[in-house]
Amino acid sequence: MITIKDLSKVFSTKSKTISAVDNLSLEINKGEIFGVIGYSGAGKSTFIRLINRLEDPTDGQVVIDDENITLLNKKKLRVARQDIGMIFQHFNLLWSRTVEENISFPLEIAGVPKQERQERVHELIRLVGLAGREKAYPSELSGGQKQRVGIARALANNPKVLLCDEATSALDPETTDSILELLVNINEKLGLTIILITHEMHVIRKICHRVAVMDAGKVVEQGDVLDVFLHPQKQITKKFVEQIMGDKDQEDALDLLKEKYDSGKIVRLHFIGELTNQALISQVAKQYEIDINILQGKITQTQKGAYGSLFIHIDGDEEEIKRAIDYITSTSVEVEVIPYV
Amino acid sequence: MFNELFPNVKMDDVWVATYETFYMTLIALLGTFILGILLGLLLYLTSRGGLWQNKALNFIVASIVNVFRAIPFIILILLLFPFTDFIVGTIRGPNAALPALIIGSAPFYGRLVEIALREVDKGVVEAAKAMGAKTNTIILKVLLPESMPALVSGITVTGIALIGYTAIAGVIGAGGLGDFAYFYGFQRRSFDVVFVCTVLIVIIVFIFQFIGDSISNKLDKR
Ligand SMILES: Nc1ncnc2c1ncn2[C@@H]1O[C@H](COP(=O)(O)OP(=O)(O)O)[C@@H](O)[C@H]1O
Ligand SMILES: [Mg+2]
């Protein structure tokens, strides 16, 4: 478990002082993927760099598994850092080394004997799906492949925690997905704790269990990803949720729809972390003598299931419609009947 | 044919002079490489934000480098006479030229090394730190390998300047092609000797440039 307590970092330049991280406290559980989201300049990078002390804190502490990182002397810090993997937006690979030599580097630093090093490197190359590219130089790899090398390198010494600083921000959407999948895979397979910072909500949505929203050096909101999606409290959080769900304005278009139908009912289905009711529409259509017309909606997948809303038009016998709606109400999907004007 | 065109050129002597030029250049280059890398590393590491950030030390090293770069080579040789005499035991011959050659070119190369090190991606140095690397490891396994192509092209440029310096050193009797051209060519009005020596020096410069460029290109995997 990682405990961050009253952590602060003040940068002083000639003209001004900046509180990049301001009295920040967080608890991160073992084995979870914890996301930190915020706009550029919010202090995310500074925060994650304070965890392995690439920046020294002005105040506060970071405790990883009962080891107070903030109190370690230089020598002990170096050893502790071997237990903290880190990957970067721009990969930061050594261009002068091949894939396998890059992955071998942290093992050399840790003083692992050559034979063992080679075995471990092979294992890691297979883990991240780079078999056959061992002898390639970074300049011969795609962005996604480079990040795979970065991940393998970060995992080499079996760290307790993996820090990801905008690890997918330099990648195209498809490559981003494949890297995120790899991270989930590693999290599940190795039980590795992952702390990930990003400015993109879909990264949080896809892989994080919990999320903290950061603004001006402070955590302004945190919780389970689904809760934050469902009940965003702060304006900034709502903005991030809109990145994915679109904003509420689209519901205005509903008025137009209402005019088109003079029979049946328009119903809004709200999916909240659905794992079991994903085939709901087809079930209802089969069981009841009704016609279902999908009007509009947005459903997205999170680590904890589907989330979003869907507007449908149900037509048919009044009684049958009522039975169908009662059935849907009995599931965990929330139903809201939109009244005709 | 050759004897008619160049009546005063004795090839045996020319080869000895060529050998001396090579000897002086290569040994001085080795010394310059080592001393220049040390100076460059010191300049880089003690600079602001560097691993050994130290304003005073940085100022001292930078001052020494600047002063020695400012002294014209011919004057440096004269200034170093007592030092050379003490170290080498003589102030004549190829070995006597070495201290001045190294001290004259190491500060120049040191600056090139500093520039090369600055070009190393800060993110890579940071990644090494995050892995728990010691400063020594960062120097030997990150900074030097990642800047190697620039270090090699820098030493090539320095080497070519050094060939020029050996010719100047010839004037005070260091031996080599410059010496040979001056005493056996210019002073005896045998301009064929000056010509042959010039051609040989140009060829040596081209060889250096070619070898340097090839190595630098081969090392560069970017
Ligand atoms: N080394 C530094 N010196 C001075 N200011 C810095 C330094 N690093 C970051 N900052 C400032 O701290 C704030 C937070 O930066 P950063 O942590 O990089 O934000 P983010 O990663 O969320 O974009 C910014 O205002 C930035 O200018
Ligand atoms: Mg950042």
PDB file of all heavy atoms in Angstrom, chain B residues 178-212:
ATOM      1  N   GLY B 178      55.863  19.236 -40.918  1.00  0.00           N
ATOM      2  CA  GLY B 178      55.948  20.703 -40.848  1.00  0.00           C
ATOM      3  C   GLY B 178      57.400  21.128 -40.684  1.00  0.00           C
ATOM      4  O   GLY B 178      57.897  22.011 -41.402  1.00  0.00           O
ATOM      5  N   ASP B 179      58.060  20.490 -39.742  1.00  0.00           N
ATOM      6  CA  ASP B 179      59.474  20.712 -39.482  1.00  0.00           C
ATOM      7  C   ASP B 179      60.271  20.502 -40.770  1.00  0.00           C
ATOM      8  O   ASP B 179      61.060  21.348 -41.204  1.00  0.00           O
ATOM      9  CB  ASP B 179      59.906  19.695 -38.410  1.00  0.00           C
ATOM     10  CG  ASP B 179      61.306  19.976 -37.882  1.00  0.00           C
ATOM     11  OD1 ASP B 179      62.017  20.764 -38.532  1.00  0.00           O
ATOM     12  OD2 ASP B 179      61.666  19.404 -36.845  1.00  0.00           O
ATOM     13  N   PHE B 180      60.028  19.368 -41.413  1.00  0.00           N
ATOM     14  CA  PHE B 180      60.750  18.966 -42.624  1.00  0.00           C
ATOM     15  C   PHE B 180      60.554  20.006 -43.725  1.00  0.00           C
ATOM     16  O   PHE B 180      61.513  20.456 -44.378  1.00  0.00           O
ATOM     17  CB  PHE B 180      60.250  17.597 -43.083  1.00  0.00           C
ATOM     18  CG  PHE B 180      61.142  16.941 -44.079  1.00  0.00           C
ATOM     19  CD1 PHE B 180      62.312  16.305 -43.666  1.00  0.00           C
ATOM     20  CD2 PHE B 180      60.831  16.945 -45.438  1.00  0.00           C
ATOM     21  CE1 PHE B 180      63.151  15.692 -44.583  1.00  0.00           C
ATOM     22  CE2 PHE B 180      61.660  16.337 -46.356  1.00  0.00           C
ATOM     23  CZ  PHE B 180      62.818  15.703 -45.933  1.00  0.00           C
ATOM     24  N   ALA B 181      59.299  20.418 -43.917  1.00  0.00           N
ATOM     25  CA  ALA B 181      58.993  21.392 -44.963  1.00  0.00           C
ATOM     26  C   ALA B 181      59.694  22.718 -44.691  1.00  0.00           C
ATOM     27  O   ALA B 181      60.194  23.378 -45.603  1.00  0.00           O
ATOM     28  CB  ALA B 181      57.476  21.601 -45.060  1.00  0.00           C
ATOM     29  N   TYR B 182      59.766  23.089 -43.429  1.00  0.00           N
ATOM     30  CA  TYR B 182      60.339  24.391 -43.078  1.00  0.00           C
ATOM     31  C   TYR B 182      61.858  24.389 -43.235  1.00  0.00           C
ATOM     32  O   TYR B 182      62.428  25.242 -43.919  1.00  0.00           O
ATOM     33  CB  TYR B 182      59.927  24.751 -41.653  1.00  0.00           C
ATOM     34  CG  TYR B 182      60.401  26.130 -41.234  1.00  0.00           C
ATOM     35  CD1 TYR B 182      59.849  27.277 -41.809  1.00  0.00           C
ATOM     36  CD2 TYR B 182      61.406  26.289 -40.268  1.00  0.00           C
ATOM     37  CE1 TYR B 182      60.281  28.540 -41.441  1.00  0.00           C
ATOM     38  CE2 TYR B 182      61.835  27.549 -39.898  1.00  0.00           C
ATOM     39  CZ  TYR B 182      61.276  28.680 -40.477  1.00  0.00           C
ATOM     40  OH  TYR B 182      61.700  29.936 -40.100  1.00  0.00           O
ATOM     41  N   PHE B 183      62.500  23.392 -42.624  1.00  0.00           N
ATOM     42  CA  PHE B 183      63.972  23.420 -42.615  1.00  0.00           C
ATOM     43  C   PHE B 183      64.591  22.927 -43.918  1.00  0.00           C
ATOM     44  O   PHE B 183      65.535  23.517 -44.414  1.00  0.00           O
ATOM     45  CB  PHE B 183      64.511  22.594 -41.426  1.00  0.00           C
ATOM     46  CG  PHE B 183      64.356  23.327 -40.132  1.00  0.00           C
ATOM     47  CD1 PHE B 183      63.384  22.955 -39.208  1.00  0.00           C
ATOM     48  CD2 PHE B 183      65.172  24.419 -39.833  1.00  0.00           C
ATOM     49  CE1 PHE B 183      63.229  23.638 -38.022  1.00  0.00           C
ATOM     50  CE2 PHE B 183      65.013  25.111 -38.639  1.00  0.00           C
ATOM     51  CZ  PHE B 183      64.056  24.719 -37.731  1.00  0.00           C
ATOM     52  N   TYR B 184      64.034  21.835 -44.483  1.00  0.00           N
ATOM     53  CA  TYR B 184      64.634  21.262 -45.698  1.00  0.00           C
ATOM     54  C   TYR B 184      64.038  21.848 -46.961  1.00  0.00           C
ATOM     55  O   TYR B 184      64.609  21.760 -48.026  1.00  0.00           O
ATOM     56  CB  TYR B 184      64.506  19.738 -45.701  1.00  0.00           C
ATOM     57  CG  TYR B 184      65.302  19.107 -44.604  1.00  0.00           C
ATOM     58  CD1 TYR B 184      64.749  18.937 -43.332  1.00  0.00           C
ATOM     59  CD2 TYR B 184      66.636  18.724 -44.809  1.00  0.00           C
ATOM     60  CE1 TYR B 184      65.488  18.401 -42.310  1.00  0.00           C
ATOM     61  CE2 TYR B 184      67.390  18.179 -43.776  1.00  0.00           C
ATOM     62  CZ  TYR B 184      66.810  18.019 -42.535  1.00  0.00           C
ATOM     63  OH  TYR B 184      67.540  17.505 -41.519  1.00  0.00           O
ATOM     64  N   GLY B 185      62.840  22.404 -46.817  1.00  0.00           N
ATOM     65  CA  GLY B 185      62.189  22.972 -47.990  1.00  0.00           C
ATOM     66  C   GLY B 185      62.347  24.477 -48.043  1.00  0.00           C
ATOM     67  O   GLY B 185      63.176  25.014 -48.796  1.00  0.00           O
ATOM     68  N   PHE B 186      61.638  25.159 -47.175  1.00  0.00           N
ATOM     69  CA  PHE B 186      61.564  26.614 -47.217  1.00  0.00           C
ATOM     70  C   PHE B 186      62.948  27.262 -47.060  1.00  0.00           C
ATOM     71  O   PHE B 186      63.352  28.082 -47.888  1.00  0.00           O
ATOM     72  CB  PHE B 186      60.620  27.082 -46.113  1.00  0.00           C
ATOM     73  CG  PHE B 186      60.438  28.572 -46.075  1.00  0.00           C
ATOM     74  CD1 PHE B 186      59.686  29.212 -47.055  1.00  0.00           C
ATOM     75  CD2 PHE B 186      61.040  29.331 -45.080  1.00  0.00           C
ATOM     76  CE1 PHE B 186      59.524  30.582 -47.034  1.00  0.00           C
ATOM     77  CE2 PHE B 186      60.879  30.705 -45.060  1.00  0.00           C
ATOM     78  CZ  PHE B 186      60.124  31.336 -46.029  1.00  0.00           C
ATOM     79  N   GLN B 187      63.699  26.869 -46.022  1.00  0.00           N
ATOM     80  CA  GLN B 187      64.969  27.547 -45.745  1.00  0.00           C
ATOM     81  C   GLN B 187      66.017  27.271 -46.813  1.00  0.00           C
ATOM     82  O   GLN B 187      66.929  28.068 -46.996  1.00  0.00           O
ATOM     83  CB  GLN B 187      65.474  27.136 -44.367  1.00  0.00           C
ATOM     84  CG  GLN B 187      64.577  27.711 -43.260  1.00  0.00           C
ATOM     85  CD  GLN B 187      65.316  27.858 -41.954  1.00  0.00           C
ATOM     86  OE1 GLN B 187      66.276  27.123 -41.691  1.00  0.00           O
ATOM     87  NE2 GLN B 187      64.876  28.797 -41.133  1.00  0.00           N
ATOM     88  N   ARG B 188      65.923  26.130 -47.531  1.00  0.00           N
ATOM     89  CA  ARG B 188      66.908  25.830 -48.584  1.00  0.00           C
ATOM     90  C   ARG B 188      66.362  26.154 -49.965  1.00  0.00           C
ATOM     91  O   ARG B 188      66.919  25.715 -50.972  1.00  0.00           O
ATOM     92  CB  ARG B 188      67.293  24.341 -48.531  1.00  0.00           C
ATOM     93  CG  ARG B 188      67.995  23.985 -47.253  1.00  0.00           C
ATOM     94  CD  ARG B 188      68.421  22.543 -47.296  1.00  0.00           C
ATOM     95  NE  ARG B 188      68.956  22.122 -46.003  1.00  0.00           N
ATOM     96  CZ  ARG B 188      69.373  20.894 -45.748  1.00  0.00           C
ATOM     97  NH1 ARG B 188      69.297  19.977 -46.711  1.00  0.00           N
ATOM     98  NH2 ARG B 188      69.846  20.592 -44.588  1.00  0.00           N
ATOM     99  N   ARG B 189      65.232  26.841 -49.978  1.00  0.00           N
ATOM    100  CA  ARG B 189      64.605  27.199 -51.256  1.00  0.00           C
ATOM    101  C   ARG B 189      64.300  25.975 -52.111  1.00  0.00           C
ATOM    102  O   ARG B 189      64.300  26.048 -53.327  1.00  0.00           O
ATOM    103  CB  ARG B 189      65.478  28.173 -52.070  1.00  0.00           C
ATOM    104  CG  ARG B 189      66.015  29.313 -51.283  1.00  0.00           C
ATOM    105  CD  ARG B 189      65.319  30.600 -51.716  1.00  0.00           C
ATOM    106  NE  ARG B 189      65.436  31.588 -50.618  1.00  0.00           N
ATOM    107  CZ  ARG B 189      64.427  32.303 -50.153  1.00  0.00           C
ATOM    108  NH1 ARG B 189      63.229  32.180 -50.666  1.00  0.00           N
ATOM    109  NH2 ARG B 189      64.599  33.155 -49.162  1.00  0.00           N
ATOM    110  N   SER B 190      64.036  24.832 -51.461  1.00  0.00           N
ATOM    111  CA  SER B 190      63.648  23.631 -52.225  1.00  0.00           C
ATOM    112  C   SER B 190      62.130  23.510 -52.143  1.00  0.00           C
ATOM    113  O   SER B 190      61.593  22.795 -51.301  1.00  0.00           O
ATOM    114  CB  SER B 190      64.277  22.372 -51.628  1.00  0.00           C
ATOM    115  OG  SER B 190      65.651  22.544 -51.474  1.00  0.00           O
ATOM    116  N   PHE B 191      61.454  24.221 -53.022  1.00  0.00           N
ATOM    117  CA  PHE B 191      59.999  24.261 -52.900  1.00  0.00           C
ATOM    118  C   PHE B 191      59.318  22.953 -53.282  1.00  0.00           C
ATOM    119  O   PHE B 191      58.175  22.722 -52.930  1.00  0.00           O
ATOM    120  CB  PHE B 191      59.438  25.457 -53.683  1.00  0.00           C
ATOM    121  CG  PHE B 191      59.785  26.751 -53.004  1.00  0.00           C
ATOM    122  CD1 PHE B 191      60.776  27.586 -53.514  1.00  0.00           C
ATOM    123  CD2 PHE B 191      59.155  27.104 -51.813  1.00  0.00           C
ATOM    124  CE1 PHE B 191      61.121  28.751 -52.853  1.00  0.00           C
ATOM    125  CE2 PHE B 191      59.494  28.284 -51.158  1.00  0.00           C
ATOM    126  CZ  PHE B 191      60.488  29.112 -51.672  1.00  0.00           C
ATOM    127  N   ASP B 192      60.030  22.092 -54.001  1.00  0.00           N
ATOM    128  CA  ASP B 192      59.471  20.766 -54.274  1.00  0.00           C
ATOM    129  C   ASP B 192      59.249  19.992 -52.976  1.00  0.00           C
ATOM    130  O   ASP B 192      58.279  19.263 -52.812  1.00  0.00           O
ATOM    131  CB  ASP B 192      60.358  19.981 -55.246  1.00  0.00           C
ATOM    132  CG  ASP B 192      61.800  19.889 -54.764  1.00  0.00           C
ATOM    133  OD1 ASP B 192      62.199  20.734 -53.931  1.00  0.00           O
ATOM    134  OD2 ASP B 192      62.513  18.981 -55.201  1.00  0.00           O
ATOM    135  N   VAL B 193      60.161  20.201 -52.009  1.00  0.00           N
ATOM    136  CA  VAL B 193      60.013  19.518 -50.714  1.00  0.00           C
ATOM    137  C   VAL B 193      58.764  20.064 -49.988  1.00  0.00           C
ATOM    138  O   VAL B 193      57.960  19.292 -49.465  1.00  0.00           O
ATOM    139  CB  VAL B 193      61.269  19.738 -49.838  1.00  0.00           C
ATOM    140  CG1 VAL B 193      61.039  19.181 -48.439  1.00  0.00           C
ATOM    141  CG2 VAL B 193      62.474  19.075 -50.478  1.00  0.00           C
ATOM    142  N   VAL B 194      58.600  21.379 -50.015  1.00  0.00           N
ATOM    143  CA  VAL B 194      57.417  21.983 -49.379  1.00  0.00           C
ATOM    144  C   VAL B 194      56.144  21.400 -50.009  1.00  0.00           C
ATOM    145  O   VAL B 194      55.195  21.021 -49.317  1.00  0.00           O
ATOM    146  CB  VAL B 194      57.425  23.520 -49.550  1.00  0.00           C
ATOM    147  CG1 VAL B 194      56.152  24.117 -48.950  1.00  0.00           C
ATOM    148  CG2 VAL B 194      58.659  24.116 -48.915  1.00  0.00           C
ATOM    149  N   PHE B 195      56.181  21.283 -51.341  1.00  0.00           N
ATOM    150  CA  PHE B 195      55.014  20.777 -52.053  1.00  0.00           C
ATOM    151  C   PHE B 195      54.661  19.350 -51.632  1.00  0.00           C
ATOM    152  O   PHE B 195      53.517  19.041 -51.298  1.00  0.00           O
ATOM    153  CB  PHE B 195      55.259  20.851 -53.566  1.00  0.00           C
ATOM    154  CG  PHE B 195      54.103  20.338 -54.374  1.00  0.00           C
ATOM    155  CD1 PHE B 195      52.966  21.127 -54.567  1.00  0.00           C
ATOM    156  CD2 PHE B 195      54.141  19.056 -54.933  1.00  0.00           C
ATOM    157  CE1 PHE B 195      51.909  20.642 -55.294  1.00  0.00           C
ATOM    158  CE2 PHE B 195      53.069  18.575 -55.659  1.00  0.00           C
ATOM    159  CZ  PHE B 195      51.951  19.376 -55.851  1.00  0.00           C
ATOM    160  N   VAL B 196      55.674  18.477 -51.649  1.00  0.00           N
ATOM    161  CA  VAL B 196      55.434  17.066 -51.290  1.00  0.00           C
ATOM    162  C   VAL B 196      54.900  16.965 -49.852  1.00  0.00           C
ATOM    163  O   VAL B 196      53.947  16.226 -49.575  1.00  0.00           O
ATOM    164  CB  VAL B 196      56.712  16.219 -51.472  1.00  0.00           C
ATOM    165  CG1 VAL B 196      56.555  14.851 -50.826  1.00  0.00           C
ATOM    166  CG2 VAL B 196      57.034  16.072 -52.948  1.00  0.00           C
ATOM    167  N   CYS B 197      55.503  17.735 -48.942  1.00  0.00           N
ATOM    168  CA  CYS B 197      55.050  17.690 -47.554  1.00  0.00           C
ATOM    169  C   CYS B 197      53.592  18.156 -47.442  1.00  0.00           C
ATOM    170  O   CYS B 197      52.787  17.568 -46.704  1.00  0.00           O
ATOM    171  CB  CYS B 197      55.920  18.578 -46.663  1.00  0.00           C
ATOM    172  SG  CYS B 197      57.555  17.878 -46.413  1.00  0.00           S
ATOM    173  N   THR B 198      53.250  19.206 -48.174  1.00  0.00           N
ATOM    174  CA  THR B 198      51.887  19.731 -48.135  1.00  0.00           C
ATOM    175  C   THR B 198      50.889  18.674 -48.600  1.00  0.00           C
ATOM    176  O   THR B 198      49.865  18.428 -47.964  1.00  0.00           O
ATOM    177  CB  THR B 198      51.771  20.981 -49.024  1.00  0.00           C
ATOM    178  OG1 THR B 198      52.805  21.889 -48.669  1.00  0.00           O
ATOM    179  CG2 THR B 198      50.419  21.647 -48.858  1.00  0.00           C
ATOM    180  N   VAL B 199      51.242  18.046 -49.738  1.00  0.00           N
ATOM    181  CA  VAL B 199      50.345  17.010 -50.257  1.00  0.00           C
ATOM    182  C   VAL B 199      50.154  15.904 -49.220  1.00  0.00           C
ATOM    183  O   VAL B 199      49.032  15.451 -48.965  1.00  0.00           O
ATOM    184  CB  VAL B 199      50.901  16.421 -51.573  1.00  0.00           C
ATOM    185  CG1 VAL B 199      50.141  15.162 -51.968  1.00  0.00           C
ATOM    186  CG2 VAL B 199      50.822  17.468 -52.676  1.00  0.00           C
ATOM    187  N   LEU B 200      51.243  15.488 -48.583  1.00  0.00           N
ATOM    188  CA  LEU B 200      51.132  14.411 -47.589  1.00  0.00           C
ATOM    189  C   LEU B 200      50.245  14.836 -46.417  1.00  0.00           C
ATOM    190  O   LEU B 200      49.425  14.052 -45.936  1.00  0.00           O
ATOM    191  CB  LEU B 200      52.520  14.007 -47.092  1.00  0.00           C
ATOM    192  CG  LEU B 200      53.268  13.100 -48.073  1.00  0.00           C
ATOM    193  CD1 LEU B 200      54.715  12.902 -47.622  1.00  0.00           C
ATOM    194  CD2 LEU B 200      52.573  11.742 -48.182  1.00  0.00           C
ATOM    195  N   ILE B 201      50.419  16.084 -45.976  1.00  0.00           N
ATOM    196  CA  ILE B 201      49.590  16.548 -44.845  1.00  0.00           C
ATOM    197  C   ILE B 201      48.104  16.560 -45.235  1.00  0.00           C
ATOM    198  O   ILE B 201      47.243  16.101 -44.481  1.00  0.00           O
ATOM    199  CB  ILE B 201      50.049  17.950 -44.359  1.00  0.00           C
ATOM    200  CG1 ILE B 201      51.373  17.800 -43.609  1.00  0.00           C
ATOM    201  CG2 ILE B 201      48.987  18.586 -43.460  1.00  0.00           C
ATOM    202  CD1 ILE B 201      51.956  19.098 -43.110  1.00  0.00           C
ATOM    203  N   VAL B 202      47.844  17.033 -46.447  1.00  0.00           N
ATOM    204  CA  VAL B 202      46.453  17.045 -46.911  1.00  0.00           C
ATOM    205  C   VAL B 202      45.892  15.622 -46.947  1.00  0.00           C
ATOM    206  O   VAL B 202      44.754  15.364 -46.509  1.00  0.00           O
ATOM    207  CB  VAL B 202      46.343  17.719 -48.298  1.00  0.00           C
ATOM    208  CG1 VAL B 202      44.961  17.492 -48.905  1.00  0.00           C
ATOM    209  CG2 VAL B 202      46.633  19.205 -48.184  1.00  0.00           C
ATOM    210  N   ILE B 203      46.710  14.692 -47.437  1.00  0.00           N
ATOM    211  CA  ILE B 203      46.245  13.293 -47.489  1.00  0.00           C
ATOM    212  C   ILE B 203      45.950  12.782 -46.076  1.00  0.00           C
ATOM    213  O   ILE B 203      44.923  12.142 -45.825  1.00  0.00           O
ATOM    214  CB  ILE B 203      47.289  12.390 -48.190  1.00  0.00           C
ATOM    215  CG1 ILE B 203      47.331  12.740 -49.685  1.00  0.00           C
ATOM    216  CG2 ILE B 203      46.949  10.914 -47.990  1.00  0.00           C
ATOM    217  CD1 ILE B 203      48.435  12.020 -50.441  1.00  0.00           C
ATOM    218  N   ILE B 204      46.837  13.099 -45.126  1.00  0.00           N
ATOM    219  CA  ILE B 204      46.618  12.641 -43.746  1.00  0.00           C
ATOM    220  C   ILE B 204      45.309  13.222 -43.193  1.00  0.00           C
ATOM    221  O   ILE B 204      44.512  12.520 -42.567  1.00  0.00           O
ATOM    222  CB  ILE B 204      47.809  13.034 -42.843  1.00  0.00           C
ATOM    223  CG1 ILE B 204      49.056  12.263 -43.268  1.00  0.00           C
ATOM    224  CG2 ILE B 204      47.489  12.730 -41.382  1.00  0.00           C
ATOM    225  CD1 ILE B 204      50.318  12.696 -42.549  1.00  0.00           C
ATOM    226  N   VAL B 205      45.077  14.504 -43.472  1.00  0.00           N
ATOM    227  CA  VAL B 205      43.839  15.136 -43.015  1.00  0.00           C
ATOM    228  C   VAL B 205      42.623  14.410 -43.588  1.00  0.00           C
ATOM    229  O   VAL B 205      41.671  14.078 -42.880  1.00  0.00           O
ATOM    230  CB  VAL B 205      43.804  16.634 -43.408  1.00  0.00           C
ATOM    231  CG1 VAL B 205      42.396  17.202 -43.224  1.00  0.00           C
ATOM    232  CG2 VAL B 205      44.789  17.427 -42.572  1.00  0.00           C
ATOM    233  N   PHE B 206      42.687  14.115 -44.894  1.00  0.00           N
ATOM    234  CA  PHE B 206      41.565  13.403 -45.521  1.00  0.00           C
ATOM    235  C   PHE B 206      41.344  12.034 -44.891  1.00  0.00           C
ATOM    236  O   PHE B 206      40.220  11.619 -44.665  1.00  0.00           O
ATOM    237  CB  PHE B 206      41.813  13.254 -47.037  1.00  0.00           C
ATOM    238  CG  PHE B 206      41.497  14.510 -47.805  1.00  0.00           C
ATOM    239  CD1 PHE B 206      41.256  15.709 -47.146  1.00  0.00           C
ATOM    240  CD2 PHE B 206      41.430  14.501 -49.192  1.00  0.00           C
ATOM    241  CE1 PHE B 206      40.971  16.870 -47.833  1.00  0.00           C
ATOM    242  CE2 PHE B 206      41.136  15.662 -49.900  1.00  0.00           C
ATOM    243  CZ  PHE B 206      40.910  16.849 -49.218  1.00  0.00           C
ATOM    244  N   ILE B 207      42.435  11.341 -44.621  1.00  0.00           N
ATOM    245  CA  ILE B 207      42.308  10.007 -44.001  1.00  0.00           C
ATOM    246  C   ILE B 207      41.617  10.128 -42.643  1.00  0.00           C
ATOM    247  O   ILE B 207      40.686   9.380 -42.333  1.00  0.00           O
ATOM    248  CB  ILE B 207      43.702   9.337 -43.843  1.00  0.00           C
ATOM    249  CG1 ILE B 207      44.260   8.983 -45.220  1.00  0.00           C
ATOM    250  CG2 ILE B 207      43.602   8.095 -42.969  1.00  0.00           C
ATOM    251  CD1 ILE B 207      45.697   8.464 -45.184  1.00  0.00           C
ATOM    252  N   PHE B 208      42.053  11.106 -41.846  1.00  0.00           N
ATOM    253  CA  PHE B 208      41.434  11.316 -40.533  1.00  0.00           C
ATOM    254  C   PHE B 208      39.943  11.585 -40.667  1.00  0.00           C
ATOM    255  O   PHE B 208      39.119  11.007 -39.967  1.00  0.00           O
ATOM    256  CB  PHE B 208      42.097  12.504 -39.826  1.00  0.00           C
ATOM    257  CG  PHE B 208      43.153  12.088 -38.856  1.00  0.00           C
ATOM    258  CD1 PHE B 208      44.408  11.720 -39.296  1.00  0.00           C
ATOM    259  CD2 PHE B 208      42.878  12.043 -37.498  1.00  0.00           C
ATOM    260  CE1 PHE B 208      45.383  11.320 -38.404  1.00  0.00           C
ATOM    261  CE2 PHE B 208      43.843  11.642 -36.604  1.00  0.00           C
ATOM    262  CZ  PHE B 208      45.096  11.285 -37.046  1.00  0.00           C
ATOM    263  N   GLN B 209      39.633  12.506 -41.574  1.00  0.00           N
ATOM    264  CA  GLN B 209      38.230  12.882 -41.748  1.00  0.00           C
ATOM    265  C   GLN B 209      37.398  11.661 -42.142  1.00  0.00           C
ATOM    266  O   GLN B 209      36.316  11.428 -41.595  1.00  0.00           O
ATOM    267  CB  GLN B 209      38.111  13.958 -42.834  1.00  0.00           C
ATOM    268  CG  GLN B 209      36.719  14.545 -42.955  1.00  0.00           C
ATOM    269  CD  GLN B 209      36.382  15.472 -41.802  1.00  0.00           C
ATOM    270  OE1 GLN B 209      37.108  16.423 -41.527  1.00  0.00           O
ATOM    271  NE2 GLN B 209      35.299  15.194 -41.098  1.00  0.00           N
ATOM    272  N   PHE B 210      37.954  10.876 -43.060  1.00  0.00           N
ATOM    273  CA  PHE B 210      37.216   9.710 -43.549  1.00  0.00           C
ATOM    274  C   PHE B 210      36.981   8.694 -42.428  1.00  0.00           C
ATOM    275  O   PHE B 210      35.859   8.218 -42.224  1.00  0.00           O
ATOM    276  CB  PHE B 210      37.978   9.063 -44.706  1.00  0.00           C
ATOM    277  CG  PHE B 210      37.326   7.823 -45.227  1.00  0.00           C
ATOM    278  CD1 PHE B 210      36.202   7.904 -46.042  1.00  0.00           C
ATOM    279  CD2 PHE B 210      37.799   6.563 -44.871  1.00  0.00           C
ATOM    280  CE1 PHE B 210      35.583   6.759 -46.507  1.00  0.00           C
ATOM    281  CE2 PHE B 210      37.183   5.414 -45.331  1.00  0.00           C
ATOM    282  CZ  PHE B 210      36.080   5.509 -46.154  1.00  0.00           C
ATOM    283  N   ILE B 211      38.062   8.389 -41.700  1.00  0.00           N
ATOM    284  CA  ILE B 211      37.932   7.399 -40.620  1.00  0.00           C
ATOM    285  C   ILE B 211      36.951   7.908 -39.556  1.00  0.00           C
ATOM    286  O   ILE B 211      36.067   7.183 -39.108  1.00  0.00           O
ATOM    287  CB  ILE B 211      39.306   7.100 -39.983  1.00  0.00           C
ATOM    288  CG1 ILE B 211      40.203   6.389 -41.003  1.00  0.00           C
ATOM    289  CG2 ILE B 211      39.142   6.229 -38.739  1.00  0.00           C
ATOM    290  CD1 ILE B 211      41.615   6.157 -40.512  1.00  0.00           C
ATOM    291  N   GLY B 212      37.104   9.180 -39.186  1.00  0.00           N
ATOM    292  CA  GLY B 212      36.221   9.758 -38.162  1.00  0.00           C
ATOM    293  C   GLY B 212      34.773   9.695 -38.570  1.00  0.00           C
ATOM    294  O   GLY B 212      33.913   9.251 -37.804  1.00  0.00           O
TER     295      GLY B 212
END
